[in-house]
Amino acid sequence: MPPSLNVFWKELLSFFRDRRTVFNQIVFPLLLMPVFMFGPAYLVARLSSQAAAEVQRVAVAGAPNELLRELERAGLRPLPDPDPQGAVREGRADAGLRYRRGRVEVYLALAQGGMKAEVLKGRIDRALERYRAALVARRLRAAGLDESVLRPFRVAYTDVSPPQAQGAGELGFLVPMMLLMFVLTGAMPVVNDATAGEKERGTLEVLLAVPASPVALLLGKAGAAMVAALISTASGVGGLLLGGWLLLRYGGDLALEGGGGPGLAFHLGPQVLAVALVTGVLFAAFAVGVMTLLGIFAKGYREAQTYMGFLYMVLVLPAVLMGMASSFLEPGPLYYLIPVAGPMMLLDAVLRAKADLAAYLLAWGSTLAYAAGALALAAWAFGREEVVYRN
Amino acid sequence: MTDGVEVEGLKKSYRRRPALKGIAFRIAPGEAFALLGPNGAGKTTTLRALLGLIRRDGGRVRVAGLDPARDPRGVRRRTGYVTGGMGLYDRLTGAEILAFFGRFYGLEGAALTERIAELDRAFGLGEALATQAQAMSSGMRQKILVARAFLHRPQVLLLDEPTAALDVFARRALLDRVLAEKAAGRAVLYSTHVLPEAEEVADRVGFLHRGRLIFTGTPAEARSRYRAPTLEHAFIRAAQEAADAA
């Protein structure tokens, strides 16, 4: 068996036997992502429907009977009160409304009421709009005009973006960021154990004393870390897809933007998944290369964790900002050459069905080059006694 | 001499701080040479230079007839190395650790299984073979560490503080094994700061003090030259003389 393959199997065997790491890297994302996606959405929907079912009290002063009827139609209970503002403050009513000489003042505890206050505001707005429309219609008729004079044309919106972009949903921009983070968090424990962990345990010197080149040993370690990172990423993406499916299946309006819900569900087509796989592999190679370099340089496990945590911030923060900015900006071709951000923007562009050949070539080509550079640096460091015996 | 160890004028510095200042010694097949010195004397540096794990700054080194600077993998194929640490791969069993290292020396399949069985008989590995390292006692760990160095039937044994973490039983077993390997014709370099051990296993000793080999000879010659009742006393007097001369 070639030395690199021998090391590769050993590292993977150690990884799969570490129950805590396996749970954190594989089981946890698969279970946690659906909970994160479905749980809050379900909670929001439930609270929202509870608030909708509740008849809320509105303290009213000076309102005409027609407006009182519209308030009742909107699911509100008007209560005559000479001081509507005081009624809200003192808790006698959920909202207050004063109608005085063509001016309506509405009193709400918006900062304290949260979702319930928002629902209440929506109902009052609806009642006032209906009352306003009725008044306008009457006045138009009195002037001999038809209501249609106010609506010279109707507006109909149709989403013509490709099904792939529509499927990404409102939170589709999260997918590239998630993918990147899954790769980093998946690779980190394996790289740490295979580099700084070997130093700390005192096994590195014995391993280096075998008749194999340091490059072969390093490639075996890097390969195992890449596989672990990709398994962890697949688990995380699987969790996202499972969460999306649960929302579509059981979430009702929650799943779909424009259906009254927050549009949390997304489904990724085969093309997006294929691009995600290639991008994930290349990014994993780059991340493993950088982490291996840091792990070899570190004197021990803790020092390596510090470097890698810092690396996480250095890499992820700009990438997250770039990912968010890409919704508003049209990134030029050179943006795809930025390490970490390039692959993220490519995935984002693919999700929006905007990626062209140049984007693929630049993002994948540059990531491959950075990965090769990082692994070459790590291999160089692994053969340097000043680095290996730094402690 | 092609199967043993030859060192002439070996020099090594770390960031201009000399660790070895031109040491020289020879070990013939079937001979055990004990490299003695306190922590920081340069013992581990010497062993690393013999394996080609670090670059030497000067001098000539041959291990099993090969120069470790030119053919480090050739040297490592012919050398068994035991460090003083007790580090093993925690989630691998003893058998898996031996198999992992055996594959680097071309041992596969039935040959590997048979060799591990031989080492089991020779070292009494027993339940250590089926136990993950994280659950092994220090005695079990040391047996696996030592057995690992013998997997490929090396011509030369380099032992760096091999009893550092051993209890009395494991230490006795290891010393007996070294004596047996010496009798089987292997060249043994035994690095330690536990001088009574060296007196027991070594045919010749070398006193390493601040990167210089200040004495080489048999334990009896050391006691005689420094008029000391034990090797330990001889070493202390040699170190004092060297310090006074400096």
Side-chain angles (χ1 to χ4, degrees):
Chain A
M1 185 185 283
S4 52
L5 196 58
N6 192 17
V7 173
F8 174 81
W9 284 121
K10 190 273 287 179
E11 297 295 353
L12 273 191
L13 186 61
S14 291
F15 169 70
F16 281 112
R17 286 210 179 137
D18 185 353
R19 285 181 198 161
R20 194 174 51 181
T21 304
V22 166
F23 184 81
N24 285 342
Q25 305 298 318
I26 300 174
V27 182
F28 203 49
L30 201 57
L31 298 177
L32 201 67
M33 293 316 299
V35 171
F36 271 162
M37 290 173 70
F38 194 78
Y42 180 74
L43 193 67
V44 166
R46 198 163 166 186
L47 291 173
S48 179
S49 62
Q50 272 176 0
E54 194 179 330
V55 177
Q56 289 151 312
R57 298 162 301 164
V58 183
V60 181
N65 287 339
E66 193 177 354
L67 178 54
L68 296 178
R69 279 197 297 278
E70 289 298 346
L71 288 171
E72 282 171 352
R73 262 183 79 193
L76 301 165
R77 182 146 55 98
L79 302 169
D81 194 308
D83 179 15
Q85 190 173 357
V88 178
R89 281 199 185 133
E90 290 159 20
R92 297 196 305 275
D94 301 303
L97 186 148
R98 182 187 298 282
Y99 191 94
R100 194 161 44 193
R101 292 191 292 277
R103 178 185 164 85
V104 178
E105 288 170 11
V106 178
Y107 310 105
L108 287 164
L110 280 173
Q112 294 170 304
M115 188 186 295
K116 210 169 164 181
E118 289 296 331
V119 169
L120 180 56
K121 181 175 178 292
R123 286 175 174 181
I124 292 172
D125 281 345
R126 248 192 332 272
L128 289 170
E129 178 55 31
R130 281 190 193 133
Y131 178 57
R132 189 191 63 78
L135 282 181
V136 168
R138 266 206 305 277
R139 287 175 189 177
L140 284 172
R141 276 198 298 276
L145 294 170
D146 189 74
E147 273 181 76
S148 62
V149 75
L150 291 178
R151 289 192 296 274
F153 58 86
R154 287 177 181 274
V155 181
Y157 291 97
T158 306
D159 188 354
V160 295
S161 55
Q164 181 180 312
Q166 290 180 33
E170 271 197 343
L171 299 185
F173 80 97
L174 282 176
V175 175
M177 276 187 267
M178 293 285 201
L179 188 86
L180 181 143
M181 283 192 247
F182 288 139
V183 168
L184 286 178
T185 51
M188 201 178 288
V190 180
V191 172
N192 219 343
D193 190 65
T195 52
E198 287 249 26
K199 269 190 183 180
E200 198 162 293
R201 279 192 303 270
T203 48
L204 184 62
E205 178 147 355
V206 175
L207 182 63
L208 289 170
V210 300
S213 77
V215 174
L217 302 175
L218 182 107
L219 285 178
K221 288 172 177 292
M226 270 186 70
V227 169
L230 292 174
I231 290 173
S232 173
T233 306
S235 168
V237 173
L240 283 174
L241 292 173
L242 182 62
W245 179 80
L246 282 171
L247 276 169
L248 286 170
R249 182 80 177 75
Y250 302 106
D253 284 351
L254 283 172
L256 305 167
E257 185 188 356
L264 293 173
F266 48 82
H267 51 91
L268 308 176
Q271 190 201 340
V272 178
L273 287 174
V275 174
L277 177 68
V278 176
T279 309
V281 169
L282 291 173
F283 179 71
F286 170 65
V288 164
V290 175
M291 286 182 180
T292 305
L293 183 61
L294 294 173
I296 291 165
F297 185 75
K299 288 176 184 169
Y301 211 89
R302 193 162 289 185
E303 188 179 326
Q305 275 184 323
T306 307
Y307 292 151
M308 288 181 200
F310 184 66
L311 171 82
Y312 198 81
M313 297 298 286
V314 166
L315 290 185
V316 173
L317 274 181
V320 168
L321 291 175
M322 290 297 292
M324 288 180 161
S326 71
S327 302
F328 309 102
L329 297 172
E330 283 298 324
L334 291 180
Y335 282 71
Y336 290 102
L337 295 175
I338 301 171
V340 187
M344 262 189 63
M345 286 192 298
L346 173 66
L347 276 172
D348 189 62
V350 170
L351 280 166
R352 294 168 199 282
K354 281 182 170 179
D356 56 12
L357 183 64
Y360 282 101
L361 289 176
L362 289 170
W364 283 353
S366 63
T367 307
L368 185 63
Y370 298 139
L375 283 169
L377 262 177
W380 172 82
F382 204 53
R384 303 280 299 177
E385 63 182 74
E386 297 86 348
V387 178
V388 172
Y389 296 115
R390 205 176 135 243
N391 47 343
Chain B
M1 183 170 63
T2 56
D3 292 341
V5 177
E6 297 175 41
V7 176
E8 288 172 21
L10 175 59
K11 289 182 185 170
K12 175 68 185 174
S13 295
Y14 295 112
R15 293 181 184 175
R16 295 182 188 169
R17 190 172 56 81
L20 294 175
K21 301 171 182 170
I23 67 167
F25 60 88
R26 288 180 170 219
I27 311 169
E31 183 186 28
F33 179 78
L35 197 56
L36 309 177
N39 293 334
K43 303 189 296 296
T44 299
T45 297
T46 305
L47 268 68
R48 285 176 178 166
L50 295 188
L51 281 162
L53 294 173
I54 57 173
R55 290 180 306 276
R56 63 179 186 259
D57 297 335
R60 182 177 175 275
V61 175
R62 291 287 181 276
V63 178
L66 301 171
D67 182 347
R70 292 190 178 184
D71 187 5
R73 274 179 260 174
V75 168
R76 292 169 201 168
R77 260 191 288 275
R78 292 162 177 79
T79 308
Y81 182 40
V82 177
T83 66
M86 297 290 279
L88 285 172
Y89 299 115
D90 282 348
R91 289 180 288 278
L92 267 56
T93 65
E96 287 165 346
I97 291 166
L98 293 178
F100 170 64
F101 281 101
R103 285 192 283 268
F104 287 115
Y105 299 95
L107 290 166
E108 304 265 0
L112 180 60
T113 310
E114 177 52 32
R115 183 62 184 146
I116 291 174
E118 284 174 22
L119 291 170
D120 183 16
R121 288 191 289 275
F123 290 90
L125 302 177
E127 60 181 313
L129 287 175
T131 306
Q132 285 190 14
Q134 60 191 342
M136 286 182 191
S137 66
S138 60
M140 286 163 92
R141 290 175 87 93
Q142 186 64 18
K143 281 180 182 176
I144 295 294
L145 284 163
V146 174
R148 183 196 54 73
F150 288 88
L151 267 166
H152 54 296
R153 299 183 176 87
Q155 293 171 236
V156 175
L157 280 173
L158 302 180
L159 310 175
D160 189 10
E161 312 266 6
T163 58
L166 294 189
D167 63 24
V168 64
F169 299 105
R171 183 181 150 278
R172 183 67 262 155
L174 178 77
L175 294 178
D176 289 345
R177 172 54 46 188
V178 172
L179 291 169
E181 294 300 325
K182 187 177 73 165
R186 300 191 208 293
V188 179
L189 175 54
Y190 194 96
S191 157
T192 185
H193 61 263
V194 185
L195 277 70
E197 275 178 17
E199 203 153 14
E200 181 178 348
V201 299
D203 302 295
R204 290 185 307 119
V205 296
F207 292 168
L208 193 59
H209 181 70
R210 294 180 185 170
R212 286 186 201 284
L213 208 48
I214 53 176
F215 170 83
T216 56
T218 65
E221 286 169 347
R223 286 193 299 271
S224 166
R225 175 167 169 184
Y226 294 102
R227 293 187 188 120
T230 65
L231 195 59
E232 200 162 66
H233 287 92
F235 177 82
I236 291 166
R237 282 181 193 164
Q240 281 169 346
E241 274 184 22
D244 292 345

